Amino acid sequence: MASYLIEPVDRLPFGGPGKARRYATERYQGAVGLNWYTSDPTLRFLMRRHLGADGLAWAEPRLTELGALMGGPVARWAEETDRNPPRLEKYDRWGRDISQVVMPASFEASRRELVASAANRPEFHAEARAAGVDPAPIEVAWSYLLDQADIGMACALGTGGDMVVRLTELFAPEDVKARVRELFAAGEFSGEAAQMLTERSGGSDLGALESTASPDADGAWRLNGFKWFASNANGSAFVVLAKPEGAVDGVRGIAPFLVLRDRRDGTRNGVRIRRLKDKLGTRSVASAEIEFTDAEAFLLAPASTEGGAGDGKGLARMMELTNGARLAIAAMGLGCARRSLVESLCYTRAREAFGAPLYEQPLMRRKLAELIVETEAAQALVFDGYLGRPRLRLAPALIKLRAARLGVTAAGDAIEIHGGNGYIEQWPVARILRDAQVNPIWEGGDNILCLDVRRAMDREQAHLPFLDRVEEAAGRAPEGDAATADLVHQRVGDLRKAINRWSGLDRATAEARLYPLAQYMADVYAAALLLEQAGWERAELGTDRKALVARLYASAHLADHGALRGIDAPSEDLERFKDLADGALIDPRPPVDG
């Protein structure tokens, strides 16, 4: 039943029920309100593949609860927090600096539910393992679902928690370890951590940072400096990069330090928030400019025999953990893409133009099919990055390069699909685009990722196990799809040649060519993984939808379509559109006619 008033314009001579139903508000039911697990056949497919039938039987009730939570309360709280973001109370009533971030009630309610449901909680791990179930796929599913609702919240809960906990356990004094264990008793996704790297002197150029640490009493340090962009400023435990006094002014002089909100003696530590960032998106995570003034800090690196300034490997050690953070950002990009796809499918099924729903128009079906294929390719990459074996050194950079950018382009497509409505904040996709735009920046932009690809190939020959993994995945293609498998194998060979040719270029040209080379790697990697999924689907389920997705992806990214650019190619994306769409979203809600 409509909740709005009937107005005079609803009774104009050229109006009528047929036109009015096009803009009947109740007909437009988006992603919110769906169970994001049971409505997502692709996620259920992946859970069956990674957990097995018995593991899925144990996990499915829990996943169903998570799907209802993320698609219902968490998604609604995210909208409320975006409209009422965190605020800074800088001073108390006597003008004393309290630097307190006040979070909205919607954020606190969401965080409570998410921390209680997090799949990386120690008790959940124990419960799963007692049942003989690997909790890792469920952890990835939890993040994947949350990222569709609110990547800002995902950042607030997940930024640096593993880094704080692991480095503290390795290097901090015993009493400090005990305090950190209390902070993270509910798990690493408690929202208590932050990592503070970026300064005004440079974001990616960490060697230029100016923050300085000086030795203090009882094994502690005094840290002074100014961090330009620090997310989750309302946390309690921070990993902060600084240069110990007397260190070299460069990358080898950097060391990570632990700074807690309160000092050992219980007094407030020298952590001052200058202001919160007025950001384009991800408003649910409080990002700030933070000044350290004689803050008590603890070195998170082995003490050096030369004055206790660290072993010169602190940044490298921290960067090893950053690869996990890059996968998390890639998952955020995937979440934005998945949400954009679902909103687009929901909208086009309801919106009518030229005598039929948009969903039935050939050009719209082409776009929706493209969104489905690209999203499932990114999904294959992200899940392989987390769950694939062996772990590939090149994977995090390549996966983030592809998935973070897809989140932006998919959200842009969703806005176009919604037309002018998509550009309006009352509709859901405007926020998704605002949020998605940060993913190519967080944990390194495209150029930084490409430089990491070069570093991994030059120093570790990381392309060799990568190419072996891609060959292995393509070799698991289903019978009957030899043409696609042959194309992928051919492109793996071409990629080997491209890498060899690239390695002989002069330094400047080789650096400039890193971007197309990395894109080529991501193209071949995703196509091979989709073939691997298709082989498993054919063998275990007897169906062939993933083979269709693999063919469409390989055709778009790897095939040479000649002078006609594929204009005369078979139209499988249209002929089997129902298979694609039904395999992407199940919406059990009955259609509403206004």
Side-chain angles (χ1 to χ4, degrees), residues 415-437:
I415 285 179
E416 182 181 352
I417 287 168
H418 283 69
N421 290 333
Y423 204 62
I424 305 303
E425 292 288 354
Q426 274 187 294
W427 293 79
V429 288
R431 178 177 69 88
I432 302 304
L433 179 62
R434 288 192 285 105
D435 285 357
Q437 192 61 63

Side-chain angles (χ1 to χ4, degrees), residues 493-574:
D494 293 339
L495 182 56
R496 289 183 189 274
K497 294 175 186 175
I499 293 171
N500 288 335
R501 186 70 60 84
W502 169 84
S503 65
L505 297 173
D506 66 89
R507 188 76 173 172
T509 304
E511 182 172 313
R513 298 290 185 268
L514 275 168
Y515 183 78
L517 180 62
Q519 291 288 357
Y520 197 176
M521 290 177 168
D523 287 340
V524 175
Y525 187 16
L529 293 177
L530 288 171
L531 279 176
E532 184 177 54
Q533 289 184 0
W536 182 89
E537 179 191 29
R538 185 76 57 83
E540 296 293 324
L541 308 178
T543 51
D544 72 340
R545 181 181 173 279
K546 282 292 181 182
L548 170 65
V549 173
R551 282 196 301 277
L552 292 172
Y553 185 85
S555 176
H557 290 266
L558 300 180
D560 181 358
H561 292 292
L564 296 184
R565 298 193 177 187
I567 290 172
D568 60 338
S571 56
E572 271 198 298
D573 52 343
L574 299 183

